Amino acid sequence: MSTTHPNPPATSASGPADGVETFESLDPATGDVVGVHPVAGPEDVALAVERAREAAVWWSALSFEERAEHLLTWRSVITRRIAQRAALSRSETGKPTADAQLEIALAIDHVAWAAKHAKKVLGPKRVSPGLVMANQAASVEYKPLGVVGVIGPWNYPVFTPMGSIAYALAAGNTVVFKPSEYTPGVGVWLADTLTEVVGGIPVLQTVTGLGPTGAALCTSGVDKLAFTGSTATGKKVMAACAERLTPVIIEAGGKDSLIVDEDADLAKAAEAALWGGMANAGQTCIGTERVYVHEKVFDAFVSEITEQARGLRAGGDDAAKIGPITMPSQVDVIRGHVQDAVDRGATAVVGGPDAVGERFVQPTILTHVPEDSTAITEETFGPTLAVNPVRDMDEAVRLTNAGKYGLAGAVFSRKRGMEVARQIRSGMTSINGVITFAGVPGLPFGGVGDSGFGRIHGPDGLKEFTYAKAITRQRFSPPLTLTSFARTAKDEKGLATIVTLLHGGKKTLRG
Ligand code: NAD
């Protein structure tokens, strides 16, 4: 049986066996079939998890250095084949080849960082035992959980899941990855290349399929599930995982704003807003969707961004800097948001409702968009920007924080960048740049509110795929016997004296 999928990918080398249920992936720019993949059912998923559990015995027993060795080799293989991978990504998502290459370059950096830092972050560390337990040597280390399930989206088919995959692997877990049904080819490619590097051992496997395959992974008994996708699906994933008390990381949607202060470099701010809003056809979780500009520079900013948008266009040809909308159903969402805003008084200074075609959406910039319209409150995921004036930075922060999402954002200001950034309720903010934090592997990545919880990347991202193991080792007999029925009144008095000495005074942190 074959399920025709409304859109994307490419096949694994061998292709599905006869009689296996499959789904097609289509090139979003042309509608051409670019791949056929098997639909993994609950049994297939269970089998993959079982294989991953066996592989975890070997992988988790390796030293940090040995695992790093394998991961760094994988990193080199991906790097050498970057053109091959970028072409695959272009055919599955429609994104320009240069954008596909940028995405993979960032992902490669994360593999290297996770491999090189896992030991330092997760390895055993001494902890001061304190005065009462002075006879103990105390330490903490971070152990792998076992098998991690990763469910990914299609918009950044390598960079996004790699934030979980590389960090989970570096921490000593094995991984079963369910890529988006729009980009299964990229997922298969990733697993194939790592399997090649580790001599065929399934430390990373890909199970392809639609939503139900992801749902099967949630209830398969994996030790943690890292989900990246929409908030609506994230809620379903969390509910399914609750059945087996499987912990989850939810990396969900966003509605990020870029704030422009009166003293900002307007040309740079406009350039960043344009790229942050339109790159990858606006299909970026941490993309710019709203822009709040100080009223004193609003008109100048709008002129600047309108000028810079001239000549920018979406198309399927190699010269077009913006590709198609990958998921056909999103076109209606984008059209709805633009139409709603215009119907309610917004001005289209670039594009507008007519810019929304069947597969391509031309750049659209709206100004004076009502704060309760969907173009402000919901994730649009298209090459559109809603640009509104604000009285001051307090209003910009208030409007930015008014939404249900809290993923990332940006501030352009010469003097007050840090001050404003700290007030934004989101996981990540870049000052005088856009999305720059995503390229710093040592920084955590994740959101608050409807954008989800948990962190990938950096030390937090490594720890996310482990459990903390605390160990105390007695070095010599305790001066006071406290944890025994042989405890005497003298021991109890001794404890009272020590505690009073330690905590009975009036000293505070300030002395
Ligand atoms: P989606 O929620 O439609 O799908 C994501 C994945 O979940 C796919 O692999 C899909 O097959 C799977 N899935 C669907 N139903 C499922 C179910 N019931 N149980 C388990 N898995 C299921 O999202 P999408 O359209 O692929 O991706 C776009 C969304 O992802 C946007 O909202 C975007 O903001 C978000 N995103 C977030 C981040 C982040 O880091 N926060 C990064 C990239 C994308």
Side-chain angles (χ1 to χ4, degrees):
M1 178 188 143
S2 174
T3 309
T4 301
H5 187 269
N7 208 0
T11 44
S12 61
S14 50
D18 285 350
V20 170
E21 186 185 356
T22 58
F23 65 102
E24 287 176 349
S25 67
L26 311 177
D27 183 328
T30 60
D32 292 348
V33 175
V34 293
V36 179
H37 289 266
V39 173
E43 299 80 23
D44 305 307
V45 172
L47 205 64
V49 173
E50 198 183 309
R51 279 195 298 261
R53 213 166 278 296
E54 283 163 22
V57 174
W58 170 70
W59 184 248
S60 66
L62 295 181
S63 65
F64 283 110
E65 288 83 358
E66 287 167 328
R67 276 197 296 270
E69 199 67 28
H70 288 301
L71 291 173
L72 291 173
T73 307
W74 186 37
R75 174 265 325 245
S76 303
V77 170
I78 300 174
T79 309
R80 286 198 299 273
R81 297 181 196 168
I82 196 164
Q84 179 192 2
R85 215 285 320 174
L88 182 56
S89 179
R90 175 167 171 76
S91 69
E92 289 196 332
T93 63
K95 69 173 71 183
T97 307
D99 284 354
Q101 290 197 346
L102 173 64
E103 183 207 345
I104 192 155
L106 290 176
I108 287 167
D109 213 23
H110 279 285
V111 179
W113 194 94
K116 289 178 187 167
H117 291 80
K119 184 176 182 182
K120 188 166 175 226
V121 176
L122 306 175
K125 265 176 225 58
R126 282 192 191 180
V127 173
S128 164
L131 204 58
V132 179
M133 291 291 173
N135 66 319
Q136 301 287 328
S139 67
V140 62
E141 58 197 91
Y142 294 85
K143 315 282 278 181
L145 294 163
V147 180
V148 170
V150 175
I151 298 178
W154 47 265
N155 59 340
Y156 290 90
V158 172
F159 176 74
T160 292
M162 197 62 106
S164 297
I165 293 170
Y167 289 78
L169 288 169
N173 305 279
T174 54
V175 174
V176 177
F177 173 39
K178 202 307 257 174
S180 166
E181 52 272 46
Y182 292 89
T183 53
V186 173
V188 169
W189 188 93
L190 281 178
D192 284 354
T193 46
L194 182 56
T195 306
E196 195 182 309
V197 165
V198 296
I201 299 169
V203 295
L204 170 63
Q205 298 169 81
T206 295
V207 287
T208 54
L210 285 72
T213 303
L217 188 56
C218 294
T219 51
S220 65
V222 288
D223 301 290
K224 186 149 191 172
L225 195 294
F227 169 81
T228 308
S230 63
T231 305
T233 309
K235 289 177 185 174
K236 290 186 199 164
V237 163
M238 198 171 164
C241 285
E243 259 183 48
R244 298 182 70 153
L245 211 63
T246 301
V248 289
I249 300 173
I250 305 288
E251 299 284 355
K255 189 74 191 175
D256 293 348
S257 82
L258 182 147
I259 294 174
V260 185
D261 201 357
E262 59 182 311
D263 68 347
D265 179 332
L266 294 188
K268 291 281 178 224
E271 188 183 352
L274 199 59
W275 191 80
M278 312 285 170
N280 205 31
Q283 305 167 114
T284 304
C285 55
I286 47 172
T288 307
E289 298 219 350
R290 299 176 288 162
V291 185
Y292 292 114
V293 188
H294 196 292
E295 60 188 9
K296 286 190 186 154
V297 294
F298 182 77
D299 290 343
F301 177 84
V302 172
S303 307
E304 179 67 40
I305 196 166
T306 307
E307 186 55 36
Q308 288 191 22
R310 212 180 290 277
L312 186 64
R313 70 176 170 86
D317 55 295
D318 287 344
K321 293 198 171 128
I322 299 176
I325 298 304
T326 307
M327 198 168 60
S329 59
Q330 197 64 24
V331 174
D332 287 339
V333 175
I334 300 166
R335 185 180 293 111
H337 288 192
V338 173
Q339 193 65 57
D340 175 55
V342 170
D343 287 350
R344 298 172 63 191
T347 306
V349 292
V350 174
D354 293 346
V356 186
E358 249 181 64
R359 294 183 192 279
F360 297 91
V361 175
Q362 298 304 330
T364 290
I365 300 176
L366 306 166
T367 64
H368 302 94
V369 183
E371 283 295 323
D372 60 351
S373 72
T374 47
I376 293 284
T377 58
E378 303 292 334
E379 191 177 47
T380 307
F381 236 48
T384 66
L385 284 172
V387 186
N388 282 348
V390 286
R391 271 191 314 278
D392 51 27
M393 288 300 96
D394 287 349
E395 187 177 25
V397 168
R398 183 176 61 74
L399 294 174
T400 291
N401 290 347
K404 57 191 176 186
Y405 295 108
L407 193 52
V411 184
F412 274 76
S413 173
R414 284 201 168 89
K415 289 202 202 95
R416 300 184 55 196
M418 209 60 182
E419 182 191 332
V420 176
R422 289 203 169 108
Q423 295 176 59
I424 296 173
R425 183 177 170 269
S426 76
M428 300 138 310
T429 301
S430 49
I431 299 169
N432 297 334
V434 71
I435 309 184
T436 41
F437 48 78
V440 181
L443 281 176
F445 185 106
V448 294
D450 269 17
S451 294
F453 53 84
R455 291 294 181 267
I456 54 172
H457 301 175
D460 302 77
L462 282 167
K463 285 187 184 169
E464 196 74 62
F465 298 102
T466 62
Y467 63 93
K469 173 82 182 173
I471 299 177
T472 47
R473 178 177 56 80
Q474 180 158 306
R475 292 188 298 141
F476 53 84
S477 300
L480 299 174
T481 303
L482 298 175
T483 55
S484 161
F485 291 118
R487 193 169 59 203
T488 64
K490 193 173 155 223
D491 292 326
E492 285 164 11
K493 200 167 162 221
L495 177 64
T497 308
I498 292 176
V499 171
T500 306
L501 273 174
L502 283 174
H503 303 295
K506 284 190 177 156
K507 271 195 170 178
T508 63
L509 279 181
R510 289 198 209 101

